[in-house]
Amino acid sequence: MDQNKGLFKKKLAILISVAITFFLLMVFLLIIGMLMNSIKQQEMLKATDKFINFKSRVERLIFTNETLVQGFEAYLLMNPDLDQAEAEIYMDKLLSKNENQIRNIGVIQDTTIIWNYPKEGNAAAVGVDLSMVEGQKELVLKVKNELEPVLQGPVDLVQGGTGFIIRLPIIRPETGYWGQISIVLNGDKIIEEINAYAADAGLKVAIFNDQNKRVPFYGAMSIVGEAPLGFDIDPDFINWQVVVSPKDGWQNNQLIFEGAILFAFLIAAGAGQLTYRVLKTNDQLRIMSSHDSLTGLFNRHYLNEYRAMVLAAAKRNNRHVGFISMDLNHFKKINDTYGHNVGDLVLVETARVLKGCTRTNEAVFRLGGDEFLIIMPDIEDGTVLQQTRERLIKSFKDDFHLVEYPCKIAVSIGTSVFPEDGNNIDALLQIADEEMYADKKQQQLTQA
């Protein structure tokens, strides 16, 4: 019984320790995950702040040039006959501060180019119907039909090279749609500016336009790397999709993560082991307080607690309780002859025999020295005690043995039964003790 109970408690202690280890590990992993996510979020916020700076400069680049187109649009509405000489003088003044980015400005009547500034290098484009030019016709017709400005590019230009084109509809109050103004931005200069903005922001950048959402017109996905952040730049006009990542790449926190996991596992395992040791120590202390250290039987201290429980249960359930007092005959002589070490072996062997003679629900106590007590909490009557007495005598005669020592043990036994012999535990023990001493005396007389 005690072995099974001890094994169960050991398994329970291991189970509790494993559960605590697992729980702490889960908590630590959750905390580590939150910290790693926080680090990642902070890194993403920094990249976002850098993108906001990049975005504002790109928008300013485009909108500054759009404002120029709007200024020329206002001029055309006030001067519908488009005096070319005056228009060129106006354009010289308008573009004096931004001529390095602007390749040309054109006027389109309906969908056909009728005027370009400057003429030099752009004369070939005059007279071209852009609704017939692949790569430009779609957005030209979009401006005509929707009467909304658009940004297109980079595109191959009719006059050669590439550029970004800002198109604004010309709407006259009396006739409605008349045509368009287009400003062609030098593609190389715009890309050069974007390069500078990206470098200043410390970002790797890839930019897609609405004409090709799979292949970026600026940068490359291979350069941006894995897990870039995605943003939009002014969907209503510029309509660029941008992906970015830090110039030096995302921080590699794998080593930190693995180290944190290892540390968490060690802490959780240590806590689990400590828990097991505490439970084991507590169980050992409990056993020490209720068990005899030599024989492993219950001790006198536990008897005071146990007997009250047994009698209370017997009274509630109308049960009989048996008490068997026993001591060893001539134990002092064994100690004197062979020494106390052998005497201890005798007591241990006695405990083994007593455990073998009792049932799992019966308690065996060592009260001190060579005095033992068996409490049988549920018996039919005193006949059971006599049967147990005879079994004990036979077991000590046949089963008791010590290796290398020819010690034979005889026992003296006394019994009492609750409630026949009394309702008081002390009285019941006294009756059993008196009968035990009477048995000892009788054996002495018989041997004499």
Side-chain angles (χ1 to χ4, degrees):
M1 173 186 178
D2 289 342
Q3 289 181 347
N4 293 335
K5 189 175 182 181
L7 182 60
F8 171 77
K9 289 183 176 179
K10 182 177 180 180
K11 289 182 177 179
L12 181 61
I14 293 174
L15 180 62
I16 293 173
S17 301
V18 170
I20 289 176
T21 299
F22 180 76
F23 173 76
L24 289 177
L25 185 59
M26 292 300 101
V27 171
F28 288 147
L29 289 178
L30 178 62
I31 294 173
I32 291 170
M34 293 173 62
L35 290 176
M36 297 300 293
N37 185 61
S38 177
I39 292 172
K40 185 64 176 178
Q41 290 294 328
Q42 291 296 322
E43 191 179 15
M44 293 173 66
L45 286 174
K46 290 180 180 179
T48 301
D49 288 340
K50 292 178 179 180
F51 169 76
I52 291 173
N53 176 59
F54 171 81
K55 174 186 176 183
S56 65
R57 297 183 71 179
V58 170
E59 289 179 338
R60 186 162 60 249
L61 172 67
I62 302 300
F63 290 143
T64 298
N65 289 293
E66 182 194 21
T67 302
L68 294 177
V69 180
Q70 290 172 339
F72 187 50
E73 179 185 29
Y75 172 82
L76 287 178
L77 290 174
M78 293 177 63
N79 301 274
D81 294 334
L82 189 62
D83 184 291
Q84 294 195 19
E86 289 184 7
E88 288 179 3
I89 293 172
Y90 178 83
M91 293 305 299
D92 286 340
K93 294 179 180 179
L94 189 66
L95 303 181
S96 60
K97 296 181 180 180
N98 207 32
E99 59 184 357
N100 65 323
Q101 291 179 359
I102 296 176
R103 179 162 178 173
N104 67 282
I105 294 179
V107 176
I108 302 169
Q109 186 173 5
D110 191 18
T111 59
T112 301
I113 299 173
I114 63 171
W115 184 80
N116 257 332
Y117 172 86
K119 286 184 177 180
E120 185 179 352
N122 296 297
V126 175
V128 174
D129 184 354
L130 294 179
S131 66
M132 306 299 293
V133 178
E134 291 296 332
Q136 295 197 45
K137 66 179 183 180
E138 181 180 350
L139 291 186
V140 169
L141 294 174
K142 180 178 180 181
V143 173
K144 177 181 177 180
N145 295 327
E146 298 181 8
L147 303 180
E148 294 289 341
V150 298
L151 171 68
Q152 181 180 9
V155 296
D156 294 327
L157 303 173
V158 173
Q159 59 270 47
T162 61
F164 292 86
I165 305 175
I166 300 173
R167 301 187 188 279
L168 274 74
I170 300 175
I171 305 172
R172 291 184 171 174
E174 65 278 6
T175 59
Y177 175 78
W178 179 85
Q180 303 176 24
I181 297 177
S182 65
I183 180 170
V184 180
L185 304 179
N186 189 313
D188 293 338
K189 291 291 184 180
I190 296 300
I191 294 298
E192 186 178 307
E193 290 292 327
I194 293 175
N195 269 330
Y197 300 161
D200 290 345
L203 293 174
K204 297 176 182 178
V205 179
I207 305 176
F208 302 79
N209 59 25
D210 197 43
Q211 289 75 57
N212 193 336
K213 296 183 178 180
R214 292 186 178 183
V215 180
F217 70 81
Y218 173 84
M221 291 302 297
S222 59
I223 296 175
V224 176
E226 297 181 359
L229 299 179
F231 303 96
D232 291 327
I233 295 182
D234 189 35
D236 294 330
F237 174 53
I238 300 176
N239 197 21
W240 286 352
Q241 295 78 48
V242 184
V243 291
V244 302
S245 64
K247 184 177 181 180
D248 297 327
W250 300 107
Q251 294 180 13
N252 186 359
N253 298 315
Q254 185 64 29
L255 187 60
I256 297 175
F257 178 73
E258 291 176 355
I261 292 294
L262 177 60
F263 180 75
F265 179 79
L266 292 176
I267 293 297
Q273 186 177 29
L274 180 61
T275 300
Y276 175 75
R277 289 182 178 179
V278 169
L279 292 174
K280 185 178 180 180
T281 300
N282 288 339
D283 187 57
Q284 289 174 341
L285 291 174
R286 183 194 60 78
I287 292 174
M288 289 174 62
S289 68
S290 60
H291 288 71
D292 176 59
S293 59
L294 176 63
T295 62
L297 301 177
F298 292 121
N299 59 21
R300 183 180 290 276
H301 173 75
Y302 183 65
L303 174 62
N304 296 327
E305 179 182 346
Y306 181 79
R307 67 185 187 178
M309 293 189 298
V310 168
L311 286 189
K315 290 176 180 178
R316 285 196 307 270
N317 301 316
N318 195 26
R319 299 290 187 183
H320 293 77
V321 180
F323 297 85
I324 299 178
S325 289
M326 188 194 81
D327 73 356
L328 308 180
N329 297 338
H330 310 298
F331 181 67
K332 184 177 183 301
K333 184 177 180 181
I334 292 175
N335 277 331
D336 293 341
T337 303
Y338 298 103
H340 289 282
N341 289 337
V342 176
D344 289 345
L345 294 176
V346 169
L347 294 175
V348 171
E349 180 65 6
T350 298
R352 185 191 68 80
V353 173
L354 290 177
K355 289 178 182 178
C357 292
T358 53
R359 295 176 295 184
T360 55
N361 67 329
E362 297 169 350
V364 184
F365 296 81
R366 181 192 175 200
L367 303 182
D370 64 336
E371 298 179 26
F372 298 88
L373 172 68
I374 300 174
I375 298 180
M376 307 171 73
D378 186 9
I379 61 174
E380 295 179 0
D381 51 38
T383 304
V384 176
L385 292 180
Q386 295 306 314
Q387 294 172 349
T388 304
R389 175 179 182 153
E390 293 173 3
R391 188 165 64 250
L392 286 171
I393 293 172
K394 186 176 187 303
S395 294
F396 276 95
K397 180 179 179 181
D398 298 338
D399 298 336
F400 186 98
H401 66 277
L402 293 179
V403 178
E404 299 181 358
Y405 296 99
C407 296
K408 286 295 180 179
I409 293 296
V411 296
S412 298
I413 298 174
T415 64
S416 62
V417 180
F418 168 87
E420 283 85 343
D421 294 328
N423 289 320
N424 181 279
I425 189 72
D426 292 325
L428 289 165
L429 292 177
Q430 183 176 355
I431 291 173
D433 286 344
E434 290 175 352
E435 184 176 314
M436 178 187 69
Y437 290 126
D439 181 43
K440 183 183 292 289
K441 186 175 182 180
Q442 180 63 38
Q443 290 187 52
Q444 291 173 350
L445 291 174
T446 302
Q447 291 174 359

